Amino acid sequence: MWEEFKHQLSVILVYGGMAQGLFVVLLLNHKSVQKSRANLFLSILLVAMTLSIAQILYLGRFTGYLADSVYALGDPAFFLIAPLLRFYAIELTGRRVWFTSASLLHFAPFVALVVLSIAIGVLQPEGWKTIVTEYHNLLHTAFWLLVVIQFSGYLYATHAYWLAHQKLMRQELSNTEDVNIAWVRFFLIVFMLINLFFLFSLFAVVQFDMCRGWLQSATAGVFSLSIFALSFKGILQRDIFNTLPLGKPLAVIGVTPPVKTDPLLITRLRTHMHEQKPYLDADLTLSTLSKNIGMSRSQLSQLINDGTGENFYDFVNQYRVEEVKRLMTDPDVQNLNLLGLALEAGFKSKSTFNLIFKRFTGQTPTEYRKNLIPEKV
């Protein structure tokens, strides 16, 4: 009874994952859906994982061309997942993945394994079946080791890319609530869990010489769960950081040769902030402010960094904190609660407001407001 239940559950999981993967691909590419390069890479990724599940379940059974004697080297589609996940992450941040000779090298392991597998399937070299039989475990170990190394490298690179973008985001945006950080973390967790499964697969092959059928079934299940997770989140996620300039390398955006900061420009900037109060706009960006005061993005970014010692995010939010402190003593807005004051000052959420206010004042907004009461009496 229990074994039958587990079997039926695995069948539902695997077939459901395949069905959802194909459904989401069709949905993302429907003519009524806004076109997105990030969605294109997500579609390719879902197709690759779905086809990999199909290969595990069917191709080896119904065709001799890609039977176990050929796929003893491993499924080439495994080497597509990490590059596609990274390209999807890059496209989500508003960057562009250009198909140059360098970018195509990311798919070299996949192409090499496909060519080698086809060559073996066509030529059927003498002694190959003997090699597969005698060195079965060694071939599997080598395959999973390469998969783990590739995935680990891409996971590290993607995490480093995200950390760099967090810094860049604070140079451009004054509010980050529209940037779905939770999705990025979820995405990286899925990436990490797949890699942990590949690491477990390597360990199982080396230590226990586990049968390939069990490992294939487990792989199909993990891929199905990943399809569920990526599909559900992917169809709800828009591109993030889309206020940042496109088409430039990450490392050079907002960077200019160091020059001596002009005190007059600092005065001009602070005068604009005090008189025009652009920080009251919750969607204020570096690009918007630079246009308003007649500077280039890079010039204003450097002016803020070198002239104030802060990034754009902290520079603007410091003015918002001061505005909230002023509003706390303004009798015309005493009917507003702290969240209302925060929204009036340009903040977008209570959590961000509380965090930033305490960082700049050393007190929570509630504590600060209570300390003002004796002064009013």
Side-chain angles (χ1 to χ4, degrees):
M1 179 71 71
W2 174 243
E3 292 298 324
E4 179 65 20
F5 173 76
K6 289 195 298 182
H7 173 71
Q8 293 299 326
L9 183 62
S10 65
V11 169
I12 293 173
L13 172 66
V14 171
Y15 282 89
M18 294 174 62
Q20 177 161 318
L22 295 177
F23 172 76
V24 172
V25 169
L26 293 175
L27 179 62
L28 292 176
N29 293 276
H30 192 270
K31 61 181 180 180
S32 62
V33 178
Q34 184 178 358
K35 299 303 178 184
S36 165
R37 284 173 57 95
N39 285 345
L40 173 62
F41 281 98
L42 178 59
S43 299
I44 298 173
L45 173 62
L46 293 175
V47 168
M49 297 181 78
T50 301
L51 291 179
S52 186
I53 296 174
Q55 185 276 320
I56 290 172
L57 296 177
Y58 302 116
L59 283 181
R61 301 178 185 178
F62 299 109
T63 67
Y65 186 60
L66 293 176
D68 281 352
S69 61
V70 176
Y71 264 73
L73 296 174
D75 186 350
F78 285 19
F79 290 101
L80 285 176
I81 299 173
L84 289 172
L85 280 169
R86 173 156 172 77
F87 288 174
Y88 177 54
I90 292 173
E91 290 286 343
L92 268 183
T93 61
R95 302 288 157 191
R96 291 292 178 263
V97 176
W98 304 109
F99 287 103
T100 62
S101 56
S103 64
L104 292 178
L105 285 176
H106 290 276
F107 301 103
F110 166 75
V111 174
L113 193 55
V114 168
V115 172
L116 188 57
S117 296
I118 291 177
I120 291 173
V122 172
L123 300 177
Q124 290 292 325
E126 185 178 352
W128 173 246
K129 290 185 178 181
T130 303
I131 293 175
V132 170
T133 302
E134 294 183 359
Y135 300 99
H136 177 83
N137 194 46
L138 180 61
L139 290 172
H140 272 65
T141 300
F143 172 77
W144 285 110
L145 179 62
L146 291 175
V147 170
V148 168
I149 291 174
Q150 186 212 40
F151 234 81
S152 299
Y154 276 90
L155 179 59
Y156 174 82
T158 303
H159 184 256
Y161 180 86
W162 162 236
L163 292 179
H165 248 295
Q166 281 186 303
K167 294 180 181 179
L168 181 61
M169 180 175 62
R170 289 175 175 265
Q171 294 288 3
E172 174 67 25
L173 305 180
S174 63
N175 268 313
T176 60
E177 278 72 10
D178 289 337
V179 179
N180 195 339
I181 297 176
W183 161 236
V184 178
R185 289 173 179 166
F186 177 86
F187 169 81
L188 288 175
I189 288 173
V190 172
F191 206 144
M192 182 182 66
L193 290 177
I194 295 175
N195 192 39
L196 287 176
F197 171 74
F198 286 158
L199 186 61
F200 166 77
S201 300
L202 172 62
F203 177 78
V205 169
V206 172
Q207 295 295 326
F208 304 113
D209 190 20
M210 301 178 81
C211 65
R212 190 177 180 191
W214 184 94
L215 203 53
Q216 285 182 326
S217 299
T219 302
V222 169
F223 280 11
S224 294
L225 289 173
S226 300
I227 288 174
F228 279 119
L230 294 172
S231 298
F232 177 74
K233 286 288 188 177
I235 58 178
L236 301 176
Q237 178 61 32
R238 65 180 179 83
D239 293 358
I240 59 179
F241 307 132
N242 54 7
T243 59
L244 300 179
L246 304 180
K248 296 182 181 179
L250 179 64
V252 303
I253 293 180
V255 177
T256 56
V259 295
K260 186 177 180 180
T261 303
D262 188 345
L264 293 178
L265 291 179
I266 291 291
T267 302
R268 174 182 163 191
L269 172 61
R270 292 197 180 278
T271 299
H272 179 82
M273 297 297 288
H274 283 292
E275 294 181 353
Q276 302 301 320
K277 296 187 175 182
Y279 52 84
L280 298 181
D281 178 8
D283 296 318
L284 180 68
T285 66
L286 180 68
S287 300
T288 302
L289 185 59
S290 65
K291 290 178 182 178
N292 291 341
I293 62 177
M295 294 184 187
S296 67
R297 283 187 69 264
S298 58
Q299 185 182 18
L300 178 58
S301 179
Q302 183 175 331
L303 182 66
I304 293 174
N305 293 339
D306 297 343
T308 70
E310 300 168 341
N311 55 43
F312 176 74
Y313 182 83
D314 289 338
F315 175 73
V316 173
N317 281 300
Q318 200 164 19
Y319 279 94
R320 289 173 176 159
V321 168
E322 293 301 318
E323 179 68 11
V324 170
K325 290 163 65 176
R326 186 192 70 78
L327 291 173
M328 285 181 179
T329 61
D330 187 344
D332 294 334
V333 292
Q334 290 305 300
N335 60 314
L336 294 179
N337 59 21
L338 289 173
L339 178 58
L341 297 180
L343 296 177
E344 285 288 325
F347 289 101
K348 275 192 171 183
S349 73
K350 184 177 180 180
S351 59
T352 301
F353 163 59
N354 289 336
L355 183 66
I356 293 176
F357 191 94
K358 186 170 184 179
R359 180 149 62 89
F360 284 124
T361 66
Q363 295 177 298
T364 66
T366 302
E367 292 170 344
Y368 187 89
R369 196 175 200 180
K370 284 181 178 179
N371 291 334
L372 290 176
I373 295 177
E375 300 176 9
K376 296 179 183 180
V377 177

